[in-house]
Amino acid sequence: MKRYRAPPVAGSEITPESVYLQRRHFLRSLGLAAPLLASGCSRGEDGAPPAAAAEPSGKPLAAPRSERWTTGEELTSWNDATQYNNYYEFGTGKGDPARNAGRFKPQPWTVEVAGHAEVIGRFTLEDLLKPHALEERVYRHRCVEAWSMVIPWVGIPLGACLARFKPTSRAKYVAFTTVQRPAEMPGLAYPVLDWPYREALRMDEAMHPLSLLAVGLYGRELPNQNGAPLRLIVPWKYGFKGAKSIVRIEFWERQPVTSWNLAAPTEYGFYSNVNPAVDHPRWTQSSERRIAGNGGGLFARRIATQPFNGYAEDVASLYAGMDLRANF
Ligand code: MTE
């Protein structure tokens, strides 16, 4: 089994946004925060980083590395990928998911499949994964907050999973709903988003060979904070499209409501394709802080962001003729 080095954890670097967040929580508690909801998936670290570097953990998974879907770029460390996370059900600070997800139980797991498909019902995780052997793919992982990582995910193509449900011709979109367990997820006590977390893709995006249903990273099962036991990875889109801990997959004819779009429609579009030419209203998307190699925080280097996160050759044709500024 491969070993991955674990350099020191990425530190806090966006303090002003955490101040913003606290103010927002306060105002919300007074029922005054509707306009401030626009802060969105953009709030930085508001918790201290873990004291010790995390050691790789979780059950090893046998998954050969894909030759087609990989990148020569330096990998992010296990430590940074598993200690610097966004998973608001466990808290809004980057260190909160790793700190607070210990009580969460990702086994056993079932997923409800519904909507415009010939095969619907409740499926176990093992059943969902059956159509395809696990493989490892190294993808760039670009958060809308303008940090990025390079992560070896383990999973199966999303399309292989969805095809077996035989979506009908009315299925134009597929929606993902994620788990909501207040007793195990302290972040759900705060109305940061309209829970449960929801995301969706257009059918052709979901069926694209790059879209991955991930169950692991670095050759091991996903840690809770990374979305155990299964999550979405859509590497040409901002990270928030990657719904964690999915419990429901539903085929829709209309474009589904998604959590971030609902929270702040002017900041988080339905498509959310990585696009250096379209800035977020409050910061540039033309560059990103690459958390890899020597850790993150202040030491992370800034690199230019590529259209579709570097996957333009593979996916640009999905959007032929569309105005990507209007459909951000
Ligand atoms: N899924 C759920 N259920 N809840 C969340 O808060 N955060 C999203 C996405 N999936 C989130 C989620 C955001 S904003 C990002 S950037 C990625 O997960 C982060 O994935 P990572 O922590 O594995 O890097």
Side-chain angles (χ1 to χ4, degrees), residues 41 81 84-89 141-145 147 149 151 153 178 193 195 197 217 225-226 231 238-245 260:
C41 185
Y84 190 85
N85 299 101
N86 278 332
Y87 197 160
Y88 282 9
E89 290 87 332
H141 179 54
R142 170 63 157 82
C143 183
V144 72
E145 296 164 304
W147 51 264
M149 298 187 180
I151 295 182
W153 301 104
T178 82
L193 289 171
W195 310 115
Y197 195 99
L217 41 62
Q225 62 268 31
N226 291 86
R231 69 175 293 180
Y238 293 117
F240 68 88
K241 297 298 284 185
K244 295 177 168 181
S245 311
W260 281 109

Side-chain angles (χ1 to χ4, degrees), residues 65 69-75 138-140 150-151 311:
R65 182 172 288 190
W69 305 113
T70 189
T71 155
E73 287 153 279
E74 188 169 17
L75 292 185
V138 182
Y139 281 163
R140 286 180 284 275
V150 181
I151 295 182
Y311 300 100

Side-chain angles (χ1 to χ4, degrees), residues 145-274:
E145 296 164 304
W147 51 264
S148 66
M149 298 187 180
V150 181
I151 295 182
W153 301 104
V154 174
I156 70 165
L158 175 64
C161 169
L162 298 185
R164 71 177 283 208
F165 303 120
K166 302 197 171 79
T168 69
S169 59
R170 290 179 70 188
K172 303 283 192 291
Y173 296 88
V174 56
F176 303 87
T177 307
T178 82
V179 77
Q180 195 177 11
R181 292 190 196 156
E184 298 172 29
M185 304 175 113
L188 287 172
Y190 302 94
V192 183
L193 289 171
D194 184 13
W195 310 115
Y197 195 99
R198 282 157 291 162
E199 256 312 332
L201 297 170
R202 219 170 55 187
M203 249 350 246
D204 58 343
E205 298 178 319
M207 299 308 288
H208 190 280
L210 268 170
S211 296
L212 193 72
L213 205 47
V215 293
L217 41 62
Y218 301 85
R220 294 169 181 274
E221 281 183 345
L222 286 173
N224 290 346
Q225 62 268 31
N226 291 86
L230 90 159
R231 69 175 293 180
L232 199 57
I233 299 293
V234 193
W236 71 94
K237 293 178 179 283
Y238 293 117
F240 68 88
K241 297 298 284 185
K244 295 177 168 181
S245 311
I246 295 163
V247 289
R248 186 177 167 88
I249 297 176
E250 184 169 355
F251 297 97
W252 288 53
E253 189 161 19
R254 284 177 299 109
Q255 184 175 298
V257 169
T258 60
S259 291
W260 281 109
N261 185 244
L262 183 68
T266 57
E267 303 200 11
Y268 309 104
F270 175 80
Y271 284 94
S272 287
N273 295 318
V274 174

Side-chain angles (χ1 to χ4, degrees), residues 123-142:
F123 298 85
T124 63
L125 178 61
E126 296 67 33
D127 221 8
L128 278 184
L129 298 176
K130 249 183 216 157
H132 207 279
L134 290 182
E135 57 182 270
E136 181 179 70
R137 296 175 171 196
V138 182
Y139 281 163
R140 286 180 284 275
H141 179 54
R142 170 63 157 82

